[in-house]
Amino acid sequence: GESVGLHLPTLSVQEGDNSIINCAYSNSASDYFIWYKQESGKGPQFIIDIRSNMDKRQGQRVTVLLNKTVKHLSLQIAATQPGDSAVYFCAEAFTGGGNKLTFGTGTQLKVEL
Amino acid sequence: DVKVTQSSRYLVKRTGEKVFLECVQDMDHENMFWYRQDPGLGLRLIYFSYDVKMKEKGDIPEGYSVSREKKERFSLILESASTNQTSMYLCASRLLAGRADEQFFGPGTRLTVL
């Protein structure tokens, strides 16, 4: 999962397995959360978002789960593919804070063939 | 598709030089942002702008300034570059002010200050 520090957490999974990337957010007032994917040499790309009035949202092969009680967010990727290899960031925002996004430090996902 | 472009992918400058990083978005977005990205620290907000001629400090504005003379363009300025400003710089834009929403990112500029 994501954490503050100088080393990027790494998750290694076999191709075809499911991946779960975790994120602990800090602000209990945050009401909007986004997952971004950043491939090498590129800017972050939006994957999926969720608002605080939901606890689960599904996209294509991805699911985001939100647990507000413990301030925890997760991204599940089904049937992980080599193209999923990237750094994944969670971001949080709250309406009263000018809607600035606060990003986590990122998790490196490596897909092994 | 929203397109956010940055003027350079790679830039090498010397200590003390004035550096301009340019960002242009083509979707008439009101909000624009500059971040720097460093290993293990994630993305940190330097400055943002809600609209033309408006600017707000982010979390780490020291050593930087910005300019937003036109809606589509947001410039980051390093008045006197220092080695600790060596980093990846990412620009982003967002459609609506006052609403938490998806930000669209440019490809980044990797700046090296010697």
Side-chain angles (χ1 to χ4, degrees):
Chain A
E2 296 196 13
S3 61
V4 175
L6 296 178
H7 301 289
L8 199 64
T10 300
L11 175 67
S12 294
V13 298
Q14 293 289 323
E15 182 181 5
D17 286 352
N18 296 334
S19 303
I20 299 176
I21 301 171
N22 297 303
C23 176
Y25 64 92
S26 56
N27 190 344
S28 56
S30 292
D31 53 14
Y32 180 64
F33 306 87
I34 305 179
W35 279 101
Y36 282 92
K37 172 186 180 183
Q38 186 177 24
E39 296 175 277
S40 181
K42 297 182 179 179
Q45 287 183 291
F46 173 92
I47 304 173
I48 192 167
D49 61 359
I50 188 167
R51 300 199 182 268
S52 60
N53 60 352
M54 302 172 70
D55 52 22
K56 181 179 180 179
R57 191 166 187 216
Q58 287 184 291
Q60 188 176 14
R61 276 202 312 119
V62 294
T63 301
V64 56
L65 298 178
L66 175 63
N67 185 332
K68 295 181 288 293
T69 303
V70 295
K71 293 189 287 187
H72 183 268
L73 195 66
S74 69
L75 177 70
Q76 301 178 6
I77 304 173
T80 311
Q81 302 169 0
D84 295 325
S85 293
V87 176
Y88 290 81
F89 293 95
C90 67
E92 59 179 303
F94 71 102
T95 308
N99 299 313
K100 290 184 294 181
L101 289 177
T102 300
F103 287 83
T105 54
T107 296
Q108 174 81 57
L109 176 65
K110 293 185 178 179
V111 181
E112 297 170 351
L113 303 178
Chain B
D1 282 349
V2 174
K3 193 166 184 184
V4 181
T5 57
Q6 295 182 228
S7 51
S8 304
R9 293 301 303 274
Y10 299 94
L11 211 52
V12 180
K13 296 291 181 181
R14 297 208 173 272
T15 301
E17 281 192 75
K18 189 169 186 175
V19 182
F20 292 87
L21 302 182
E22 305 286 345
C23 175
V24 177
Q25 49 93 4
D26 65 358
M27 286 300 291
D28 202 33
H29 284 180
E30 292 177 343
N31 302 171
M32 296 187 75
F33 306 82
W34 274 106
Y35 296 88
R36 65 177 281 176
Q37 182 177 22
D38 301 288
L41 297 178
L43 278 72
R44 293 180 292 167
L45 182 64
I46 305 172
Y47 265 97
F48 62 104
S49 169
Y50 282 128
D51 209 336
V52 179
K53 304 228 184 252
M54 295 178 68
K55 58 185 178 183
E56 297 281 343
K57 291 181 180 179
D59 299 319
I60 52 165
E62 296 79 18
Y64 303 95
S65 63
V66 290
S67 173
R68 185 113 182 256
E69 295 297 317
K70 294 184 177 182
K71 194 172 186 177
E72 67 271 18
R73 187 179 298 270
F74 192 35
S75 303
L76 180 69
I77 304 156
L78 287 67
E79 293 290 341
S80 178
S82 63
T83 54
N84 63 12
Q85 292 179 309
T86 292
S87 187
M88 169 70 88
Y89 289 87
L90 291 163
C91 174
S93 72
R94 182 179 70 195
L95 178 60
L96 294 173
R99 170 183 146 176
D101 212 337
E102 177 187 352
Q103 289 183 15
F104 295 87
F105 285 86
T109 295
R110 185 164 294 281
L111 172 67
T112 302
V113 182
L114 302 175

